[in-house]
Amino acid sequence: MKEGGHWDKGRQVGGADLSVIDHPPQVEWQGLDRTISLDSVDGVPDATVERWEELTAAERLSANLQAYRVFQALLGEVLEKQRTHLTPLDTDFHASIQSMLLQVTALAYQLEELLALLRHSEPPWEAAGPEDRDHRSFFEMKLRGLKVLQELAHWTVRSVRDLHQVTKHSQGSNTAYGGQAQE
Amino acid sequence: TGWPGLEGQGGAGAGQFCFVSSDLLHLLLIPFTPQILSLSPDFASYTLYLKWNDSGSVFPYDLDASWQIQILRKETMETDTLVTYNSKLTGKDTVLSWNWTSDMPLECTSHYVKIRCYINELLFAGRKEWSEWSPIKTVPGIAVVFPQDKVVLVGSNVTFCCLYNEGESIKFMKYGSKDYPLLHLSKWSSAIKVENVSASIPSGSNVLCSLQPDNIAGAVLFVGYAPDIPENLSCETRTFINITCSWNPGRPTELYRQRQTKYILFESKKHRCDFPVHVNQKIYNFTLSASNPIGQTESSLSIDINQRVHLETPDKFTVSTNSSTNAYLSWYIPGNLIQIRLLCQIEISNSNSGRQLQNVLVTGAENSNYRASVDALTPYTTYTFRVRCSASEHFWRWSKWSVERKLTTLEAPPARGPDIWRERSPVRGTLKIFWKPLLLSEANGKILAHEVSCYLQETMLKAHEVTVPLNSTELKLGGNDCLISVVAKNRAGSSPPSTITSVDIPSDNVKTEQAIPTGNGIYLSWHSDPNVTCGYTVKWCCSTGSEPCNVDWETFPSNTTNVLIKSALFQPGVRYNFSLYGCKHNGYQLLQNIVGYMKELPPKVAPNFTVEETSSDSILVKWEDIPVEDCRGFLKGYMLYFAKGKRGTSKPSYFEEGPPEVTVKNITDLTIKSLRILDLQGKTSYRLDLQAYTTGGMSPLKSLYVVTKENSVGLIIAILIPVAVAVVLAVVTSILCYRKREWIKETFYPDIPNPENSKALQFQKNICEGNTALKTLEMNPCTPNSVEVVEARSIVPKIEDTEIVSQVADSELPEDGSDTETENHVVVSYCPPIIEEEISSPPVDEPVGSSQVIYIDIQSMYQPQVKAEEEPEINLLSTAGYKPQMQLSINAMKMESQSPTEEDLDKTAGYRPQANTNAWKLSSPDSPISIESNNENGSFGSPCSINSRQFLIPPKDDEDSPTPNNTGWSFTNFFHSKPND
């Protein structure tokens, strides 16, 4: 799936080709090479999934919700690291992350609503892991920031397709929900 | 077997557990293999965080579960720890987490974790066993680059090493975007050396270590500068409460946040950010220390606090007034300023007078308002004020300017009376009074009205008020002269009066002069008059359009003798009349009238002119003056152009053919109104153009066309002279002709022998006899055109090799000769085209002498043959009309045959003289050739036309011969041959 660290090579997420997604500008801004391998960074939700077509609507929505919940925390962490350590002067970048964070929060809320609407159970809140530990090297901070932004981009594409799929199934099985399931 | 999902051995359960049984007692409870959700290391705390799902939802009720977690190390997977973790299954899925702290850094080696499950179901009778181990999750030993997060000085050399684990190999190392050569230190470490590093970006330069298989490590290096020594350290107090210091950090260090420069300010070993002013302390010694990870610097300063007072910006600034010249200002300055005096600067600005500064000294107080007043202001004027302060004794710095405040002073009575003038009105007994509005600076307020009154020996006769904006009024005097007084009034009061008498102004012996235009004004000058004691007044009137003109005037001191009058109303090309009045002790007197232009322009119209009278050689032109309003300048003269030219030509000839044709007269004497133009040609059309000119240029042209009268004497002379000349010429010619008649006759009409008297008619018979017949040919040369000898050997043996053929005929009819059957005739064709008329009158009585010519009508001879052949070319030839009779020598024939090109030419020629002069044997007695002529050659001499008495072709050798015969021949030859040339 991830070959030789070239994360942008025709990668399939939920059946979608993600190579079209722009690389996060952070790549250039912080002197990182865009061919760099980010596999060593963990704790970031991975958008890749096996047998995507076989997922149920509940599984899709739960996976999305869980991912965006994690991203809320991760983006906050990235923003804080950028402000205090990496790019103290680049307020525009901070504002962009802030704006992204707001959108992710809003999306997570929408997904919760949708799950409730479709009468699926909400996934449990996962206990906070070790991700927010303080003693990371600056290099790790950079890699982590890049990984978060990159995976978030992958997730947005997967979400679009997931929600399409959910809508299709809902319309097929229950037209009463179908109309409301659409965002 | 009330167990859900209980199945026989080998069956695959839908749930998380499977039961393997041989019989009920031998049933095995083996939980399904658990899956590790995540395994995260925290290298700082040497801790591994493990998460897994307990899959409790497959059991309908609570159960105890035990989890065995095994932690292994190294590539060889040596067991390090085996722990058991107990939990309760609550009937729903729960993510369990567990952590484990290692006794050695996790980076040191790879750690592997696996987990299995045991369900402690007490009610279950069968055997309970552990599940299979989960797939192993790995935390690889961390590869690491050193140094991590280091800060170094720009230009340093830095060596980075990359440590990695067993089973890994290094691919490359990069600093920034550049690969560096690897220095292999050991089996598990490599290094690069980066020299002369440059300043990094705010997030630091990256060092990357790329490993096989697919792992990376990295570090960030911050490159910057040590802090500069702080420049311009300066400490001051604003309020005598605190001391504030400032400095310039110098060159940026390129380091930020934790790495940025930290400053520490010391005063007497205490370090604070702001220092309170101590009552008894005047001198303060400050030290400023700057440091960052790269270096540290210091700067120090000693101050006397009283000399470092920089006051706060004046606040609550207000301005007020209660008079036309004063203003009161008030402002507030915070701080305990009791021990100093303040120097405050008030800026007063006004759109007219500009900006002025006024300093005031005030005694300092604690958090107090301060006041000042400003006087000598102009009434009814808007001023803008602002203020700033400093310590007066030891000036250090001005405070910032306060905000600006505007104030308009109150009105005051106008400072002076208006300028006035008077004019006699056309209505008798009425005087018109004019005054000029006062300047803003003189009006001291808004002028509401002007009061005009008339005094007779200090008794007011009448008075009335004229409201603004009128600036003139009429007074009915009723025959009394009085002193007129005008005062301007505003809300604050009246101006001093301006007076002028109504007495008539004497205007004796007044001359009119011209002023000098300057382009932007009119320059007037006059002679000084010692009697003028109270100044000169120049009055004029500007008319705008059809309205009556506006009277305007200016007054000048008595010593003035020239002025430049300017007015926005002046327009170029308009004449203005100025009156210069002198103010004398007994009143005004008109001294001079002056006319002038601001700028002179060319006259607008051409002068109107007429022709008063014309004669054969002169024209009297008369013109009229151009009206003053069309002159647009002082007229300097007229230009009169005249030249030959007719109406209808687009331009007069002097424009086309240049100056020589045109006469220009410049008339500079303006009193001349007519001009007589002399020396013209009679009965000739002239174009006259007249234009006037000023300094500004030339007017348009006015043109007239005049035709002078006919000159009768000249005409008569012109007729008589040619007639007289013609008569004289005729007489002289007649006399000459008479005297030379013989010669003329010889030349033009030589005798032609009568063919009837010759033996030419016997030619055919005697031709064979040769010598005897040749005598008839011994005569003047005659040109044969073509000669043809038709061969007839049997009959004419003597000339059997003497074939004379007409050149034309020869070429045209080569077979004719052979076809010609028996006639052995010699054909000499000749056809004179010109002398046809002589056929009717063949000269018969001409003296022939010994000369004879043979004429044969070759045309008549050949015509039948030609018709028979029906050769159109022959027809052409026959009409060519010339076939000389000729007997050519054999040699000649040969030569002709050798020149076919000449024959070709002959075909088209229609006429050609015999070219071969050898063929000609002139028998003329005076011809030298004839003497040598050989009879054997069969020379015939020149054949002649039967219609002509002349030989047609001269022998070429004799063309220049001076013999009369040849001369005669040459004339005809010339006439004949000319068309062919």
Side-chain angles (χ1 to χ4, degrees):
Chain A
M1 184 71 78
K2 299 173 189 178
E3 42 182 86
H6 295 259
W7 61 272
D8 54 344
K9 268 192 184 169
R11 192 173 158 189
Q12 295 290 312
V13 176
D17 187 354
L18 293 181
S19 61
V20 294
I21 297 176
D22 285 341
H23 311 302
Q26 197 190 7
V27 174
E28 280 80 24
W29 290 353
Q30 300 186 4
L32 290 176
D33 194 321
R34 65 176 55 186
T35 62
I36 202 162
S37 162
L38 296 171
D39 293 354
S40 61
V41 181
D42 49 19
V44 181
D46 193 347
T48 52
V49 63
E50 284 172 30
R51 290 188 288 193
W52 175 81
E53 291 84 358
E54 294 170 14
L55 293 176
T56 65
E59 283 168 337
R60 286 178 200 284
L61 292 173
S62 291
N64 275 272
L65 178 56
Q66 273 180 318
Y68 287 115
R69 278 174 176 169
V70 176
F71 275 121
Q72 284 180 55
L74 291 176
L75 281 173
E77 183 196 333
V78 169
L79 179 59
E80 196 267 329
K81 300 288 183 202
Q82 292 290 334
R83 270 182 183 153
T84 53
H85 298 294
L86 296 173
T87 55
L89 308 179
D90 197 347
T91 51
D92 286 350
F93 183 43
H94 306 156
S96 303
I97 299 175
Q98 185 78 54
S99 145
M100 226 182 311
L101 180 54
L102 284 174
Q103 291 177 51
V104 165
T105 310
L107 181 57
Y109 172 76
Q110 297 275 358
L111 288 167
E112 283 171 14
E113 293 285 299
L114 195 59
L115 273 167
L117 191 72
L118 298 174
R119 296 181 190 164
H120 298 305
S121 59
E122 236 178 74
W125 278 90
E126 289 186 18
E131 287 78 17
D132 47 359
R133 67 176 220 233
D134 286 333
H135 302 290
R136 287 182 194 279
S137 73
F138 287 113
F139 189 73
E140 285 175 300
M141 285 182 207
K142 287 185 182 185
L143 287 189
R144 192 169 179 76
L146 181 55
K147 172 92 171 182
V148 167
L149 297 182
Q150 182 185 302
E151 280 305 323
L152 181 59
H154 295 161
W155 265 104
T156 53
V157 176
R158 174 171 164 186
S159 297
V160 170
R161 298 182 60 84
D162 276 338
L163 288 170
H164 253 290
Q165 203 75 8
V166 169
T167 310
K168 218 158 65 181
H169 280 267
S170 309
Q171 278 172 339
S173 60
N174 190 341
T175 47
Y177 293 122
Q180 295 164 352
Q182 282 177 321
E183 284 197 348
Chain B
T1 62
W3 293 96
L6 188 70
E7 290 180 11
Q9 193 170 16
Q16 289 285 93
F17 302 87
C18 67
F19 300 89
V20 181
S21 65
S22 54
D23 61 293
L24 271 178
L25 285 176
H26 294 95
L27 274 178
L28 286 177
L29 171 59
I30 304 173
F32 211 77
T33 312
Q35 301 286 328
I36 296 172
L37 287 180
S38 73
L39 174 68
S40 311
D42 180 10
F43 294 101
S45 58
Y46 305 177
T47 307
L48 289 175
Y49 292 85
L50 180 71
K51 280 184 185 175
W52 70 95
N53 194 335
D54 68 358
S55 305
S57 58
V58 299
F59 295 101
Y61 50 88
D62 291 2
L63 280 174
D64 288 329
S66 293
W67 308 86
Q68 217 169 36
I69 303 161
Q70 190 177 29
I71 295 172
L72 306 106
R73 275 185 182 151
K74 302 192 205 165
E75 301 288 300
T76 50
M77 297 221 184
E78 298 163 15
T79 304
D80 180 75
T81 309
L82 181 69
V83 292
T84 307
Y85 174 87
N86 296 314
S87 73
K88 273 221 180 299
L89 304 180
T90 55
K92 60 178 183 181
D93 284 354
T94 308
V95 174
L96 299 176
S97 60
W98 173 82
N99 58 53
W100 172 79
T101 303
S102 168
D103 56 351
M104 70 184 288
L106 298 177
E107 295 96 329
C108 293
T109 183
S110 299
H111 287 74
Y112 310 91
V113 178
K114 54 184 179 182
I115 188 170
R116 63 178 180 175
C117 170
Y118 178 81
I119 303 292
N120 190 17
E121 171 51 75
L122 300 173
L123 300 176
F124 182 69
R127 232 173 73 213
K128 292 167 277 191
E129 290 199 357
W130 286 94
S131 70
E132 294 283 314
W133 286 104
S134 69
I136 287 177
K137 277 268 181 183
T138 309
V139 174
I142 276 261
V144 67
V145 172
F146 291 105
Q148 284 277 327
D149 306 338
K150 196 175 179 182
V151 184
V152 297
L153 184 65
V154 170
S156 306
N157 300 334
V158 189
T159 302
F160 300 95
C161 72
C162 180
L163 310 181
Y164 39 96
N165 298 290
E166 47 184 313
E168 288 178 332
S169 65
I170 192 160
K171 283 197 279 190
F172 59 83
M173 281 184 83
K174 273 183 175 182
Y175 175 77
S177 56
K178 193 182 165 196
D179 277 334
Y180 281 81
L182 290 170
L183 312 167
H184 291 283
L185 303 175
S186 71
K187 197 178 173 189
W188 310 120
S189 67
S190 293
I192 56 169
K193 192 167 186 183
V194 181
E195 293 183 334
N196 194 15
V197 290
S198 51
S200 58
I201 55 174
S203 62
S205 304
N206 303 316
V207 187
L208 181 68
C209 175
S210 180
L211 301 167
Q212 194 92 34
D214 200 22
N215 193 11
I216 56 164
V220 174
L221 182 75
F222 296 94
V223 187
Y225 298 94
D228 266 357
I229 295 170
E231 296 163 13
N232 304 332
L233 175 62
S234 164
C235 295
E236 62 191 18
T237 183
R238 289 182 162 261
T239 57
F240 277 93
I241 296 167
N242 282 320
I243 297 171
T244 309
C245 294
S246 62
W247 61 89
N248 177 358
R251 176 178 60 187
T253 61
E254 311 290 347
L255 301 173
Y256 304 90
R257 291 287 162 164
Q258 303 99 312
R259 303 163 295 278
Q260 71 191 6
T261 309
K262 290 166 183 67
Y263 290 96
I264 302 171
L265 187 64
F266 297 93
E267 206 288 312
S268 309
K269 311 253 161 110
K270 286 179 285 185
H271 108 252
R272 292 181 64 144
C273 285
D274 56 82
F275 284 86
V277 175
H278 299 292
V279 179
N280 298 323
Q281 187 180 354
K282 278 175 70 182
I283 306 297
Y284 294 81
N285 294 311
F286 290 103
T287 302
L288 177 70
S289 148
S291 65
N292 73 2
I294 299 174
Q296 180 179 353
T297 55
E298 238 179 45
S299 182
S300 53
L301 176 74
S302 175
I303 59 162
D304 177 346
I305 192 63
N306 283 337
Q307 296 174 13
R308 293 283 189 275
V309 182
H310 183 191
L311 295 175
E312 291 281 0
T313 309
D315 193 13
K316 302 173 190 169
F317 181 49
T318 59
V319 190
S320 61
T321 184
N322 60 3
S323 82
S324 59
T325 54
N326 284 350
Y328 303 99
L329 290 73
S330 164
W331 63 93
Y332 170 85
I333 296 179
N336 182 8
L337 310 178
I338 291 168
Q339 49 190 313
I340 58 165
R341 278 164 67 78
L342 307 183
L343 172 68
C344 290
Q345 201 167 50
I346 299 163
E347 187 193 74
I348 307 157
S349 49
N350 161 258
S351 55
N352 297 327
S353 57
R355 171 178 174 269
Q356 66 189 83
L357 295 169
Q358 197 171 319
N359 291 338
V360 290
L361 274 174
V362 291
T363 307
E366 188 169 359
N367 297 329
S368 172
N369 279 310
Y370 301 88
R371 285 179 190 83
S373 69
V374 178
D375 52 14
L377 301 177
T378 309
Y380 199 59
T381 306
T382 301
Y383 290 94
T384 304
F385 299 91
R386 58 179 185 167
V387 67
R388 63 180 179 178
C389 294
S390 72
S392 68
E393 280 167 45
H394 302 284
F395 178 82
W396 168 237
R397 271 171 198 165
W398 286 110
S399 71
K400 284 184 182 166
W401 283 107
S402 69
V403 293
E404 290 187 342
R405 297 281 178 220
K406 278 191 193 308
L407 175 85
T408 304
T409 51
L410 302 181
E411 286 187 49
R416 67 173 187 89
D419 280 342
I420 58 173
W421 189 248
R422 24 91 13 123
E423 284 276 287
R424 279 277 165 201
S425 188
V427 181
R428 188 150 186 82
T430 309
L431 195 69
K432 193 160 189 184
I433 315 292
F434 302 93
W435 57 89
K436 287 186 183 176
L438 290 171
L439 298 175
L440 276 180
S441 58
E442 298 162 342
N444 286 347
K446 189 180 179 187
I447 301 295
L448 302 170
H450 290 86
E451 190 180 80
V452 183
S453 40
C454 189
Y455 289 89
L456 184 60
Q457 292 172 343
E458 300 186 2
T459 312
M460 190 199 284
L461 293 183
K462 51 181 71 176
H464 70 279
E465 242 180 39
V466 182
T467 53
V468 171
L470 293 176
N471 59 358
S472 67
T473 186
E474 284 192 352
L475 280 184
K476 285 206 173 108
L477 296 174
N480 295 324
D481 282 327
C482 64
L483 186 68
I484 294 152
S485 153
V486 179
V487 294
K489 284 180 164 182
N490 65 12
R491 252 171 290 176
S494 300
S495 71
S498 300
T499 58
I500 194 167
T501 67
S502 67
V503 181
D504 263 355
I505 295 173
S507 54
D508 306 327
N509 300 326
V510 174
K511 287 188 288 184
T512 300
E513 306 259 329
Q514 288 185 352
I516 301 168
T518 62
N520 57 353
I522 300 169
Y523 183 79
L524 310 180
S525 63
W526 59 84
H527 297 292
S528 178
D529 186 336
N531 295 327
V532 173
T533 53
C534 43
Y536 293 95
T537 298
V538 175
K539 185 218 82 181
W540 69 91
C541 199
C542 281
S543 164
T544 51
S546 57
E547 294 171 19
C549 67
N550 297 322
V551 171
D552 201 355
W553 69 96
E554 265 187 62
T555 305
F556 303 98
S558 305
N559 56 359
T560 312
T561 56
N562 53 67
V563 292
L564 179 65
I565 307 280
K566 289 185 178 181
S567 165
L569 297 174
F570 286 159
Q571 291 174 334
V574 177
R575 177 178 290 212
Y576 296 99
N577 296 305
F578 297 89
S579 303
L580 176 69
Y581 296 95
C583 175
K584 300 182 178 179
H585 66 281
N586 54 354
Y588 282 98
Q589 188 187 352
L590 179 63
L591 302 176
Q592 203 172 320
N593 283 321
I594 305 169
V595 292
Y597 294 87
M598 186 182 89
K599 187 183 176 188
E600 288 189 75
L601 297 177
K604 201 171 167 185
V605 297
N608 199 7
F609 81 118
T610 52
V611 174
E612 282 292 299
E613 106 189 26
T614 52
S615 67
S616 62
D617 64 345
S618 71
I619 300 168
L620 179 63
V621 179
K622 208 167 181 182
W623 60 87
E624 295 165 11
D625 277 336
I626 297 177
V628 168
E629 61 270 20
D630 291 334
C631 270
R632 304 201 294 176
F634 297 116
L635 204 59
K636 292 287 176 198
Y638 297 92
M639 299 293 280
L640 178 67
Y641 310 86
F642 60 95
K644 287 181 187 173
K646 282 183 181 168
R647 190 184 299 279
T649 52
S650 60
K651 286 179 179 175
S653 57
Y654 52 79
F655 285 137
E656 289 167 348
E657 293 161 28
E661 287 293 320
V662 67
T663 312
V664 184
K665 281 196 192 294
N666 185 2
I667 302 131
T668 52
D669 185 352
L670 295 175
T671 57
I672 295 175
K673 296 287 175 232
S674 65
L675 181 75
R676 183 178 293 280
I677 307 165
L678 300 171
D679 300 332
L680 301 178
Q681 294 175 9
K683 207 177 181 186
T684 306
S685 178
Y686 282 94
R687 178 184 163 131
L688 305 178
D689 292 285
L690 185 68
Q691 62 182 162
Y693 63 92
T694 67
T695 309
M698 310 293 270
S699 76
L701 282 170
K702 166 111 184 183
S703 303
L704 278 182
Y705 291 90
V706 186
V707 180
T708 48
K709 288 181 177 166
E710 207 164 329
N711 187 347
S712 52
V713 177
L715 189 68
I716 290 164
I717 289 170
I719 294 167
L720 282 185
I721 287 174
V723 168
V725 168
V727 167
V728 168
L729 276 173
V731 169
V732 169
T733 311
S734 306
I735 293 167
L736 282 172
C737 288
Y738 180 76
R739 289 209 177 159
K740 297 283 182 183
R741 62 186 182 281
E742 289 300 320
W743 177 83
I744 288 168
K745 186 172 180 291
E746 280 297 316
T747 305
F748 294 101
Y749 303 99
D751 289 338
I752 296 173
N754 189 349
E756 289 176 5
N757 297 336
S758 74
K759 294 181 179 176
L761 293 173
Q762 300 164 355
F763 180 76
Q764 276 182 304
K765 293 171 187 171
N766 297 332
I767 196 160
C768 301
E769 292 162 15
N771 292 343
T772 54
L774 282 175
K775 277 190 178 179
T776 58
L777 297 173
E778 288 173 4
M779 55 180 296
N780 291 338
C782 184
T783 308
N785 202 353
S786 64
V787 177
E788 183 178 353
V789 177
V790 180
E791 190 178 353
R793 277 178 199 173
S794 56
I795 298 167
V796 193
K798 266 199 150 179
I799 54 164
E800 64 182 9
D801 54 353
T802 308
E803 192 173 82
I804 302 168
V805 183
S806 160
Q807 290 177 0
V808 179
D810 187 21
S811 59
E812 293 297 324
L813 305 165
E815 287 138 357
D816 283 354
S818 57
D819 290 346
T820 311
E821 289 158 2
T822 54
E823 272 77 11
N824 51 345
H825 54 263
V826 175
V827 178
V828 181
S829 69
Y830 168 56
C831 183
I834 293 176
I835 322 172
E836 285 280 321
E837 70 272 13
E838 289 189 17
I839 293 168
S840 56
S841 59
V844 289
D845 51 354
E846 289 288 319
V848 176
S850 60
S851 300
Q852 286 188 332
V853 68
I854 299 164
Y855 289 90
I856 299 168
D857 189 352
I858 295 158
Q859 281 181 337
S860 60
M861 286 172 68
Y862 271 84
Q863 267 171 356
Q865 283 182 341
V866 167
K867 281 176 183 170
E869 293 296 322
E870 292 182 358
E871 289 274 349
E873 288 164 9
I874 289 170
N875 285 335
L876 274 174
L877 287 169
S878 59
T879 54
Y882 176 61
K883 290 163 185 160
Q885 295 175 332
M886 189 70 190
Q887 188 175 20
L888 294 173
S889 66
I890 295 162
N891 292 342
M893 290 306 298
K894 283 176 182 171
M895 286 176 74
E896 282 185 357
S897 67
Q898 283 166 1
S899 59
T901 50
E902 286 179 21
E903 290 174 9
D904 290 340
L905 282 171
D906 292 340
K907 287 178 187 175
T908 56
Y911 167 80
R912 189 183 168 201
Q914 289 286 352
N916 194 344
T917 50
N918 293 339
W920 294 100
K921 299 301 171 202
L922 299 180
S923 314
S924 167
D926 42 12
S927 166
I929 299 169
S930 65
I931 296 165
E932 297 167 10
S933 66
N934 188 351
N935 291 339
E936 287 273 324
N937 285 340
S939 294
F940 293 94
S942 174
C944 282
S945 164
I946 50 172
N947 297 325
S948 169
R949 298 182 187 121
Q950 296 177 28
F951 293 110
L952 295 174
I953 304 168
K956 276 191 179 169
D957 292 350
D958 295 333
E959 269 181 8
D960 297 327
S961 170
T963 58
N965 283 338
N966 286 340
T967 312
W969 162 249
S970 63
F971 271 102
T972 47
N973 182 42
F974 175 75
F975 289 127
H976 280 217
S977 60
K978 196 171 184 179
N980 284 341
D981 290 341

